[in-house]
Amino acid sequence: MSDADTSSEPGDDARRIYSPDDEHNFPDAKLNEVLAYVDADEEIQAYLEAQNVNAVDRKRYNDHGAKHISIVRNRALCLYDLLKAGDVDFNGARQQGLEEEDESVIIALAATLHDVGHTVHRDQHAYYSIPLAADILDRVLPEFYDVTDTVRMKGEVLHAILCHHTAETPLTTEAGVIRVADALDMERGRSRIPYEQGGRGINTLSSQAIRRVSLHEGETRPVMVEIAMTNAAGVYQVDNLLKSKLRGSGLEDEIRIVAVNTNENHEQLVERIEL
């Protein structure tokens, strides 16, 4: 599962897309095994397609299917990699007596399953995701863990899924990563904020103004999220989506958000601003 087709700048994939073949700042062997298993799993792939029906076809909301999941999972793992490089502590797996290699598995599974509740209803979907994801995890986790570790992994993944919803507070760094990564799917009209199709309201203008989202190693913080905009309206999108997800995530001190003007006329947004 990859969102590589959204990339247009050579050499930039490492800032946006997790590649199993690359070197990472964490042990990745188990993660890569789990990813291969999940991507070949018929039930999980069926959910990723089915969860778009309520969101898109019935509610006329933005995509929450396979494409969204691919983007969120890739961003989550890239974000995790940068945070690990910055020596940020991940307490979820550690406090459960699990291994460091399990941190990335928690993040990947939570990112993959966080929106399955859309198959029940768009409204309050985070809560519907819990029982559906629990059933899937009961089948998948025993392929990689014994009974005790399956229980512990299941709890951590479900916590991260629940807390991608801003009404719930992440208690682990892993959950904070999922919450922030969910908001990083905002490029080229892919906003998580509903927009008026064909309209000219602020939601529409702001979502269309976000050209590119990239993750970089920061100078003063472990991560810099760079938002390339073509219109000042994009600031509204960042304030009301990304910053609202970052707030309360536990990662506020680790992530810096910078907007860059890509409008050749430089008329509507200063060259570079920090949000």
Side-chain angles (χ1 to χ4, degrees):
M1 180 186 292
S2 170
D3 61 331
D5 57 317
T6 66
S7 179
S8 60
E9 298 177 19
D12 198 37
D13 283 358
R15 302 167 187 166
R16 301 156 49 79
I17 299 168
Y18 172 81
S19 172
D21 296 328
D22 289 346
E23 294 291 329
H24 300 110
N25 296 294
F26 59 90
D28 59 10
K30 178 174 280 189
L31 168 66
N32 295 335
E33 290 181 15
V34 173
L35 289 177
Y37 185 93
V38 165
D39 287 346
D41 189 271
E42 184 177 1
E43 181 185 18
I44 292 174
Q45 299 310 311
Y47 267 112
L48 300 189
E49 295 301 324
Q51 66 197 39
N52 241 358
V53 174
N54 276 329
V56 176
D57 297 338
R58 295 171 180 165
K59 295 283 285 186
R60 301 297 178 188
Y61 201 69
N62 304 60
D63 166 52
H64 279 73
K67 184 66 175 179
H68 171 61
I69 297 304
S70 174
I71 292 171
V72 171
R73 194 172 80 185
N74 274 292
R75 301 295 192 276
L77 291 172
C78 289
L79 177 57
Y80 170 68
D81 197 26
L82 287 169
L83 292 169
K84 290 292 286 186
D87 293 324
V88 173
D89 178 55
F90 280 77
N91 63 311
R94 175 173 54 77
Q95 290 176 336
Q96 289 285 8
L98 296 163
E99 302 297 328
E100 181 185 8
E101 66 181 359
D102 299 320
E103 296 168 357
S104 60
V105 176
I106 291 167
I107 289 169
L109 288 174
T112 302
L113 301 174
H114 78 277
D115 272 345
V116 294
H118 276 91
T119 58
V120 179
H121 205 294
R122 159 64 199 171
D123 301 339
Q124 304 297 313
H125 69 277
Y127 303 104
Y128 299 126
S129 291
I130 295 303
L132 296 176
D135 286 347
I136 295 171
L137 293 171
D138 283 342
R139 179 172 56 79
V140 172
L141 288 173
E143 297 290 331
F144 304 94
Y145 297 93
D146 63 21
V147 173
T148 299
D149 286 351
T150 289
V151 170
R152 295 177 181 275
M153 285 291 296
K154 179 180 176 182
E156 291 305 308
V157 174
L158 294 179
H159 174 72
I161 289 173
L162 182 66
C163 294
H164 88 273
H165 184 38
T166 54
E168 306 297 340
T169 301
L171 302 179
T172 69
T173 317
E174 290 91 332
V177 166
I178 297 301
R179 179 161 159 158
V180 173
D182 188 42
L184 295 176
D185 182 12
M186 62 165 67
E187 294 175 345
R188 301 165 183 166
R190 292 192 52 83
S191 161
R192 301 300 90 203
I193 301 174
Y195 62 89
E196 306 81 12
Q197 295 190 11
R200 300 292 293 174
I202 185 61
N203 288 335
T204 302
L205 292 174
S206 64
S207 66
Q208 295 296 332
I210 306 296
R211 188 180 72 85
R212 192 168 183 80
V213 178
S214 297
L215 300 172
H216 305 263
E217 181 180 352
E219 294 181 359
T220 59
R221 302 184 187 188
V223 180
M224 180 183 73
V225 178
E226 187 176 81
I227 313 290
M229 303 182 188
T230 58
N231 188 295
V235 173
Y236 176 88
Q237 193 73 205
V238 177
D239 276 343
N240 287 275
L241 177 62
L242 180 54
K243 289 185 71 174
S244 69
K245 288 271 193 173
L246 180 59
R247 190 179 305 115
S249 69
L251 295 173
E252 297 93 330
D253 294 335
E254 316 298 344
I255 299 174
R256 177 183 173 216
I257 304 172
V258 174
V260 178
N261 183 16
T262 62
N263 184 341
E264 292 181 357
N265 296 323
H266 303 307
E267 294 175 350
Q268 300 185 55
L269 187 68
V270 295
E271 196 73 23
R272 188 178 181 91
I273 58 174
E274 184 160 352
L275 299 169

